[in-house]
């Protein structure tokens, strides 16, 4: 058990906020696999203030997801503060997270996301403006720097701490690296040693063993898992279990993967309606089947499916086919 502000978190495994992925259907599924904290996908401050219908739906939180961190982004102090106040007063989010790590060009052009990494003074100014106006704990999700010549991770983290941030999530890559190359855990360690608030380490945690290694080598309070959880909430469960017991649980069977894919599909359709839910489930379904030998035909069919019934049929038939092959091999 550890805390961000007054929010108690029961273990050291956190789901990263991933754009286009971390809606309530996905978060709830991952939460049920044991994540101590789940983070919602980032939302635009201006979209909140303009009452954009799609954005307002993104603020939906199932009570069973909590504790939950809701992430906002923006480049202007006034609108960022107003959006944070809205989240503070009108949602059941436990934590308000400010994105200062997104490397995507359209976010950078708004003077938001990773653009902040070049200016510790802006980080202080923006974060302090938010923390002064909200009651929920405020956290910051950042990268180690803009590029290898502009790595201000320690200065940026200290600025956020002085501004009242309750915790920092640090991705060990620069903006220029995007998601390529190797995450620099040593800089994560330096940041942890430089501040007195919790630090969550992010980057290259691709197995339960590496989660434990990051905790030991950097001293961070928790590890954040992102892409490894796509179609694989077992990564969360296996990591929590390994950190608590030292026991490494086997990877899931095909039957397990299909069962959870079907659950995820139902939740997405309930959340977004059949048309949008099925479209979004296409990528998730492919992730669930990733690594299973002979999945090509099913993945192709799933990417063309237009109804929930079609997807259920494809996934169910694939499971039956795989189980039949397994029975044949065992016989």
């Amino acid at each position: 058990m550890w805390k961000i502000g007054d929010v108690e978190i029961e273990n050291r495994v956190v789901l990263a906020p991933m754009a286009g992925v971390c809606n309530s259907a996905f978060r709830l599924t991952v939460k049920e696999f044991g994540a101590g904290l789940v983070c919602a996908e980032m939302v635009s401050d201006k979209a909140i203030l303009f009452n954009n219908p799609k954005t307002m739906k993104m603020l939906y939180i199932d009570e069973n997801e909590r504790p939950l961190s809701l992430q906002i982004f923006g480049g202007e102090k006034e609108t960022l503060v107003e959006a944070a106040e809205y989240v503070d007063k009108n949602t059941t989010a436990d934590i308000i997270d400010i994105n200062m790590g997104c490397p995507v060009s359209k976010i950078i052009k708004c003077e938001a996301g990773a653009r902040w990494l070049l200016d510790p003074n802006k980080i202080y100014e923006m974060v302090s403006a938010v923390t002064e106006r909200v009651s929920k704990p405020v956290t910051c999700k950042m990268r180690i720097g803009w590029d290898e010549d502009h790595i201000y991770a320690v200065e940026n983290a200290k600025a956020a701490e002085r501004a009242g941030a309750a915790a920092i999530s640090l991705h060990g890559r620069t903006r220029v690296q995007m998601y390529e190359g190797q995450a620099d855990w040593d800089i994560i360690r330096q940041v942890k040693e430089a501040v007195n608030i919790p630090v969550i380490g992010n980057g290259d945690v691709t197995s339960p063993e590496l989660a434990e290694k990051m905790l030991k080598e950097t001293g961070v309070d928790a590890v954040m898992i992102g892409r490894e959880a796509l179609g694989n909430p077992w990564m969360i469960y296996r990591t929590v279990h390994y950190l608590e017991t030292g026991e490494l649980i086997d990877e899931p069977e095909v039957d397990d993967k299909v069962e959870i894919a079907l659950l995820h599909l139902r939740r997405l359709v309930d959340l977004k309606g059949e048309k949008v839910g099925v479209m979004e489930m296409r990528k998730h379904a492919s992730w669930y089947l990733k690594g299973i030998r002979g999945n090509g035909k099913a993945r192709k069919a799933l990417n063309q499916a237009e109804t929930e019934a079609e997807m259920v049929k494809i996934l169910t038939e694939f499971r039956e086919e795989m189980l039949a092959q397994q029975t044949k091999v065992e016989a």
Side-chain angles (χ1 to χ4, degrees):
M1 187 80 73
W2 59 291
K3 286 185 175 184
I4 292 178
D6 59 355
V7 178
E8 292 190 346
I9 302 168
E10 66 179 24
N11 63 54
R12 305 173 80 183
V13 181
V14 177
L15 173 69
M18 292 177 282
V21 172
C22 286
N23 53 47
S24 181
F26 179 72
R27 298 191 308 256
L28 181 58
T29 303
V30 172
K31 184 68 177 181
E32 290 171 346
F33 274 80
L37 175 69
V38 295
C39 302
E41 59 187 314
M42 66 180 185
V43 292
S44 160
D45 59 351
K46 288 185 171 63
I48 291 173
L49 301 181
F50 291 152
N51 202 30
N52 177 279
K54 183 178 178 182
T55 298
M56 303 318 283
K57 289 179 181 178
M58 290 168 69
L59 301 181
Y60 171 76
I61 298 167
D62 186 298
E63 193 64 22
N64 293 315
E65 298 176 52
R66 300 177 62 190
L68 175 135
S69 171
L70 199 155
Q71 187 181 79
I72 59 176
F73 73 90
E76 299 174 16
K77 181 165 61 176
E78 182 178 338
T79 52
L80 190 72
V81 170
E82 286 184 39
E85 287 184 304
Y86 183 90
V87 171
D88 191 43
K89 296 172 184 174
N90 297 285
T91 77
T92 56
D94 300 278
I95 296 163
I96 300 171
D97 188 58
I98 301 174
N99 181 298
M100 52 186 77
C102 181
V104 178
S105 294
K106 68 177 181 179
I107 305 298
I108 301 294
K109 288 176 182 176
C110 300
E111 295 298 319
R115 174 65 71 185
W116 292 24
L117 300 172
L118 292 166
D119 189 355
N121 291 327
K122 178 169 183 173
I123 290 174
Y124 175 79
E125 179 186 358
M126 300 287 268
V127 175
S128 60
V130 172
T131 58
E132 288 169 5
R133 298 275 287 274
V134 301
S135 59
K136 299 181 191 290
V138 175
T139 60
C140 302
K141 174 85 163 64
M142 58 178 67
R143 287 174 173 251
I144 58 172
W146 182 263
D147 57 28
E148 62 181 14
D149 297 320
H150 300 86
I151 294 178
Y152 306 141
V154 170
E155 296 92 328
N156 290 339
K158 285 184 174 180
E161 181 181 33
R162 287 198 311 275
I168 290 164
S169 301
L170 185 62
H171 186 155
R173 291 182 174 85
T174 63
R175 186 263 168 172
V176 168
Q177 280 182 280
M178 300 289 280
Y179 300 97
E180 303 298 325
Q182 191 170 359
D184 193 326
W185 289 8
D186 189 56
I187 293 176
I188 295 176
R189 177 189 58 77
Q190 292 173 31
V191 168
K192 174 57 187 171
E193 292 173 352
V195 297
N196 297 307
I197 54 176
V199 175
I200 304 166
N202 181 209
D204 292 347
V205 179
T206 56
S207 69
E209 299 97 320
L210 284 171
E212 182 183 54
K213 186 179 181 185
M214 174 182 271
L215 288 167
K216 287 181 176 178
E217 290 187 2
T218 66
V220 291
D221 300 88
V223 293
M224 180 172 275
I225 295 172
R227 289 171 293 165
E228 285 299 316
L230 298 176
N232 186 23
W234 295 270
M235 172 63 181
I236 302 292
Y237 175 73
R238 295 173 71 241
T239 301
V240 171
H241 187 81
Y242 183 75
L243 294 178
E244 292 179 351
T245 69
E247 178 189 11
L248 192 60
I249 298 173
D250 291 339
E251 295 278 4
E253 300 289 338
V254 173
D255 191 42
D256 300 319
K257 289 189 173 188
V258 171
E259 180 184 353
I260 300 304
L262 291 168
L263 171 64
H264 193 164
L265 170 62
R266 288 198 300 273
R267 286 177 169 167
L268 260 180
V269 170
D270 288 344
L271 181 69
K272 300 201 171 190
E274 184 172 36
K275 183 177 180 179
V276 176
V278 167
M279 287 290 287
E280 289 201 9
M281 189 62 198
R282 288 176 176 179
K283 61 188 177 187
H284 288 283
S286 288
W287 288 329
Y288 278 107
L289 300 191
K290 184 179 178 182
I292 301 174
R293 183 175 294 178
N295 68 17
K297 183 180 176 182
R299 288 177 72 173
K300 183 177 180 180
L302 287 163
N303 280 324
Q304 297 172 346
E306 295 183 354
T307 68
E308 181 179 7
E310 280 182 81
M311 280 201 158
V312 170
K313 184 173 185 289
I314 295 163
L315 286 166
T316 303
E317 289 180 352
F318 176 74
R319 173 171 58 188
E320 290 171 355
E321 180 186 341
M322 292 297 104
L323 289 174
Q325 287 183 15
Q326 183 179 342
T327 302
K328 187 176 181 181
V329 169
E330 290 174 352

